[in-house]
């Protein structure tokens, strides 16, 4: 029988039980639920709301339950709705009236909120550590291929030569913002909401600050209605994961492109590819494709939760039970991505010669030419126009920019000198870009060193 069955006559239909249960997915909160209950009974005893002896017995039974669930020896049933009911009824079964004191001055509304916050606190640490691992894989690729030059793209068109390491480090920067966003979010969710009761607090003389201290919450919530009603901390968490997934998806897309025959910039290790059941020659970058594809559900989960919360009247509504599956799914998906992406990147073979060959297109150095003219005193707009005219002549006469005669160059660029004929070298181009944040080798080297040190800790 359900623990709330007092005001009801008659049992529930199976369909209703199956429709309303959440234990099938919220059982993963058991350990956090037990931690919360232990701190709660300690506080109840210290405030003389329940006897100290009762608190002790409850805590002992809670640990037994934790062990049974850990070891897979605990039986779950949809009849008991959720994980909170399971643990409480087990305590009552073991301790009778003593156990019936556990739920004093507490509602499942503030309890579930506490559990989710405790859970997210742990998961965010796992994810941030996973992101560091991912960053390490990118930094070691940058380091091991620190002199590799590749074409940089804008609009997926050849733009300017860049160091491959610079490209890798661009993602390291993005992922570092993803981590710091999660840590910001953690700061906002690290608040004790227990003690809010169902909506209005309690008439019993509880001490919320003690519970906060025992569970390492630096703050307690200031409004009991806000505490049980809102899931903004979960929305924020999912938004952080969605932005992270967007970055993962872009990185994956680069890897997919680069491993195509047309680019051939990288080769993935066999263990991170799969074959085709039909075409014997195929070696597909499925891990990268799936990482890109899984971004869809991670975005979807954010939209699902925002939609669940939208338009709810104050304060707690059962709709809020629907928060967990999207939340858990995004976390599980991100953790899976973080388990495969770092080793896939770490074992990726970089084909420097292919990258350099692609970067050896003199048109990539057209900006360098225009900037040389600026150094000779030509206003940039004019320099751009003259260089553009030379590029146009070259392309209509099928002469590569680096093969143009000095006389021809002079026709389009009266300020030209012979040294300008020698600038069509990708290595020269990157080496000239030692500006803060640029792709110059020293600049990139120092950023590699920065990240290596930072990620060591
Ligand atoms: N399983 C519920 C949830 O996840 C716990 C809170 C239930 N509260 C209630 N008043 N029925 O939201």
């Amino acid at each position: 029988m359900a623990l709330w069955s007092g005001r009801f006559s008659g049992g529930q239909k199976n369909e209703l039980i199956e429709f309303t249960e959440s234990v099938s997915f919220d059982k993963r909160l058991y350990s956090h639920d037990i931690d919360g209950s232990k701190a709660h009974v300690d506080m109840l005893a210290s405030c003389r709301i329940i006897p100290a002896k009762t608190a002790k017995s409850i805590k002992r039974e809670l640990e037994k339950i934790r062990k049974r669930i850990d070891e897979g020896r605990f039986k779950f049933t949809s009849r008991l709705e959720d994980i909170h009911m399971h643990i409480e009824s087990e305590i009552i079964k073991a301790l009778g009236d003593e156990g019936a004191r556990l739920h004093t001055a507490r509602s499942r509304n503030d309890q579930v909120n506490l559990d989710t916050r405790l859970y997210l606190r742990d998961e965010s640490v796992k994810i941030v550590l996973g992101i560091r691992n991912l960053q390490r894989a990118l930094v070691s690729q940058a380091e091991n291929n620190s002199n590799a030059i590749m074409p940089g793209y804008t609009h997926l068109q050849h733009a300017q030569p860049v160091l491959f390491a610079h490209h890798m480090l661009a993602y390291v920067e993005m992922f570092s913002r993803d981590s710091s966003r999660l840590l910001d979010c953690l700061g906002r969710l690290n608040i004790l909401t227990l003690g809010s009761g169902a909506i209005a607090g309690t008439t019993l003389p509880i001490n919320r600050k003690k519970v906060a201290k025992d569970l390492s919450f630096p703050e307690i919530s200031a409004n009991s209605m806000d505490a049980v009603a809102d899931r903004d901390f979960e929305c924020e968490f999912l938004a952080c994961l969605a932005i992270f997934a967007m970055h993962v998806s872009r990185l994956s897309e680069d890897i997919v492109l680069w491993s195509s025959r047309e680019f051939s910039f990288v080769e993935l290790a066999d263990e991170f590819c799969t074959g085709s059941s039909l075409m014997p020659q195929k070696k597909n970058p499925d891990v990268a494709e799936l990482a890109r594809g899984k971004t869809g559900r991670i975005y979807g989960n954010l939209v699902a939760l925002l939609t669940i919360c939208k338009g709810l009247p104050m304060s707690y509504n059962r709709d809020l039970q629907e928060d967990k599956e999207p939340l858990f799914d995004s976390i599980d998906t991100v953790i899976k991505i973080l388990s495969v992406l770092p080793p896939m990147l770490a074992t990726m073979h970089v084909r420097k010669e292919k990258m350099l060959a692609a970067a050896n297109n003199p048109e990539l150095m057209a900006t360098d030419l225009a900037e040389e003219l600026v150094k000779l005193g030509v206003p940039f707009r004019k320099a751009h126009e003259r260089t553009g005219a030379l590029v146009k002549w070259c392309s209509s006469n099928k002469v590569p920019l680096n093969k143009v005669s000095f006389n021809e160059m002079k026709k389009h660029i009266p300020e030209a000198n012979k040294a300008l004929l020698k600038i069509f070298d990708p290595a020269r181009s990157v080496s000239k870009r030692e500006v803060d944040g640029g792709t110059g080798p020293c600049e990139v080297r120092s950023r590699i060193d920065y990240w290596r040190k930072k990620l060591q800790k």
Side-chain angles (χ1 to χ4, degrees), residues 300-363:
N301 290 332
L302 169 62
V303 174
L305 183 62
L306 288 169
T307 311
I308 289 160
C309 295
K310 163 190 178 299
L312 289 183
M314 283 287 263
S315 56
Y316 177 83
N317 299 270
R318 190 65 179 273
D319 314 45
L320 292 174
Q321 177 170 292
E322 288 289 305
D323 63 346
K324 284 169 212 65
E325 284 166 294
L327 189 64
F328 297 163
D329 183 69
S330 281
I331 291 172
D332 292 345
T333 306
V334 162
I335 287 177
K336 273 188 218 160
I337 289 174
L338 286 170
S339 73
V340 290
L341 226 49
M344 182 197 79
L345 290 166
T347 53
M348 174 178 86
H349 172 64
V350 177
R351 305 172 84 177
K352 294 191 209 180
E353 67 305 335
K354 293 278 186 188
M355 288 183 174
L356 184 61
N360 228 335
N361 163 9
E363 285 190 11

Side-chain angles (χ1 to χ4, degrees), residues 4 21 189 197 260 266 272 288 291 325 332 357 383-384 401 411 422 438:
W4 41 252
E21 70 86 27
L189 70 80
S260 68
V266 299
F272 290 100
E325 284 166 294
D332 292 345
H384 185 284
L401 206 45
K411 277 193 210 152
K422 300 217 158 61

